[in-house]
Amino acid sequence: MNDSARKAFALRLDPSLHAALERSAATDLRSVNAQIEVLLREALERRGVKLAPPLTLKRGRKKNGDGGN
């Protein structure tokens, strides 16, 4: 999945909420953006909202024959 497959939007947060998200994300070794996504998925799951599993990104270098340089 590339970044263009993700929906981007502005989100205004109270500074204390953002600080709490930064601490929580650091504890879980995630970015704030990834932490917000995880927390939203957990909250929706608790409410019984069904979601498709998150798309995963392939990490690392491309192997020979994958169209890389």
Side-chain angles (χ1 to χ4, degrees):
M1 178 180 73
N2 60 26
D3 287 338
S4 65
R6 302 179 74 85
K7 177 70 176 165
F9 68 99
L11 177 63
R12 291 176 182 85
L13 297 174
D14 180 89
S16 62
L17 176 58
H18 189 270
L21 285 166
E22 284 180 318
R23 289 189 304 273
S24 177
T27 299
D28 294 343
L29 301 174
R30 292 188 181 111
S31 67
V32 171
N33 188 75
Q35 188 71 353
I36 290 170
E37 191 168 339
V38 167
L39 293 171
L40 286 171
R41 286 182 175 279
E42 289 174 357
L44 289 171
E45 186 177 314
R46 282 194 305 270
R47 288 179 171 239
V49 177
K50 303 286 185 193
L51 292 172
L55 299 174
T56 56
L57 296 173
K58 288 188 176 184
R59 303 249 177 201
R61 294 183 178 177
K62 291 184 179 185
K63 295 179 182 174
N64 289 339
D66 285 349
N69 291 333

